[in-house]
Amino acid sequence: MPRAFGKPGRPADDVVLRRREIFEAVAPLIPDDGARRLTMARAARAAGLSVGGLYHRFDSKRALLLYGLAPENLGRACADFTATWGHLAESDPVQLVSRALDGFSGAVDRWVRPSVDAAGQLGVDVLQGALSEAMTTELVGMVRSVRRMRPDLPDDRAAALERSLRRVCTAHVLDPTARDGELREQLRVTVVGALYS
């Protein structure tokens, strides 16, 4: 059995998933407490950890609040998606794109929106940097899935699709009236429009 922290019999820790679990426990506090007023003690209680345990996973409150946008989190989500659904690339690329839309919109609603909210409260420069990096990470995977469905899609149309998806996603995460689940339909319309126009 793998060893972690030198203790026999203890399974290895999946750091990315554990950080994600903690972030998901803390994310609902962001709208209520605000990014600046939220304390690490309150975040630790929400996650069922001691403050020291929370700092063991996140070296700062900012790192915790922006974890939904972190490349390691989003990159892992993309890798998990590919491991689960990548086989559809050859057998059913339309289904692959449908699953990609589900996964992408779910990730935006679960992780990106709370972190964008926090980033906006922390400052415009924080928001712009974090959002740009996250959108690039996520949209590359989405466009790659679309190109598997339509390998003949010209590069200029793929680039236009990526820009359109970026605008739709940015509007969604910045709109306080947007609801979970709405993004998937907006993405679907954008992808269909790009593929069949």
Side-chain angles (χ1 to χ4, degrees):
M1 187 169 271
R3 290 176 55 157
F5 308 110
K7 296 178 183 176
R10 185 173 181 175
D13 194 17
D14 188 331
V15 175
V16 174
L17 289 182
R18 184 64 183 124
R19 285 181 180 157
R20 184 184 293 165
E21 290 169 353
I22 294 166
F23 171 77
E24 288 176 345
V26 173
L29 302 176
I30 296 169
D32 297 336
D33 290 16
R36 294 187 188 276
R37 289 187 312 278
L38 179 64
T39 66
M40 288 297 268
R42 179 142 158 70
R45 279 192 304 276
L49 296 169
S50 67
V51 174
L54 184 58
Y55 274 111
H56 176 71
R57 297 295 181 182
F58 295 96
D59 62 359
S60 68
K61 182 170 75 169
R62 179 180 170 148
L64 169 62
L65 295 176
L66 300 182
Y67 192 72
L69 298 166
E72 80 173 34
N73 180 43
L74 297 176
R76 174 63 178 273
C78 289
D80 290 348
F81 174 84
T82 300
T84 303
W85 302 109
H87 67 281
L88 294 173
E90 299 301 321
S91 63
D92 193 351
V94 173
Q95 181 68 2
L96 176 69
V97 170
S98 178
R99 297 290 182 172
L101 290 171
D102 291 341
F104 184 83
S105 61
V108 167
D109 288 338
R110 266 191 327 277
W111 307 319
V112 174
R113 283 189 73 168
S115 283
V116 164
D117 186 21
Q121 294 175 41
L122 296 174
V124 172
D125 57 329
V126 175
L127 174 62
Q128 287 176 332
L131 188 56
S132 177
E133 186 174 3
M135 287 298 167
T136 299
T137 301
E138 288 293 295
L139 293 175
V140 166
M142 174 64 72
V143 172
R144 188 177 302 130
S145 294
V146 169
R147 288 194 96 156
R148 286 180 173 155
M149 187 171 91
R150 285 283 309 275
D152 61 328
L153 188 68
D155 289 344
D156 62 328
R157 288 193 46 205
L161 172 60
E162 184 176 337
R163 287 190 305 275
S164 294
L165 292 171
R166 182 180 300 272
R167 285 190 295 272
V168 167
C169 293
T170 300
H172 180 78
V173 299
L174 294 176
D175 180 358
T177 66
R179 301 287 175 247
D180 288 357
E182 290 177 340
L183 179 60
R184 194 216 189 274
E185 181 60 19
Q186 294 167 347
L187 293 172
R188 187 191 67 75
V189 168
T190 304
V191 168
V192 168
L195 291 177
Y196 302 108
S197 63

